[in-house]
Amino acid sequence: PSSSTLYITTEGAIDLKAEFSPDGETWREPAEESPIVFEEAGQDVAFIEYDAAAIRVSGSNTTGVDLDLRVTA
């Protein structure tokens, strides 16, 4: 089985809602990964125990966020 890791860097405070999909059609919001809360600029790593070939993230404000999704076979 595959897994995924989401690397997150924010420019300030923001709450992120992350939804993951193995096929780009069926979306899941895992309770342990979402919401991801930043009270100030920072970094975090979310480990997803399945192949998340697609991700969609929404933020609570317009703070800049850099995301890097890496899939491990």
Side-chain angles (χ1 to χ4, degrees):
S2 297
S3 63
S4 303
T5 305
L6 178 63
Y7 298 87
I8 308 162
T9 302
T10 70
E11 295 177 358
I14 189 168
D15 295 351
L16 299 174
K17 175 182 172 185
E19 297 173 280
F20 303 96
S21 174
D23 58 10
E25 294 180 18
T26 305
W27 294 92
R28 294 182 234 166
E29 182 184 357
E32 61 273 4
E33 285 99 5
S34 190
I36 303 166
V37 178
F38 289 88
E39 295 184 11
E40 59 187 21
Q43 299 178 334
D44 196 4
V45 176
F47 180 72
I48 302 100
E49 296 183 20
Y50 53 86
D51 179 5
I55 182 173
R56 99 181 139 189
V57 177
S58 57
S60 59
N61 58 40
T62 59
T63 296
V65 177
D66 182 38
L67 302 170
D68 182 17
L69 180 66
R70 298 183 188 174
V71 178
T72 307

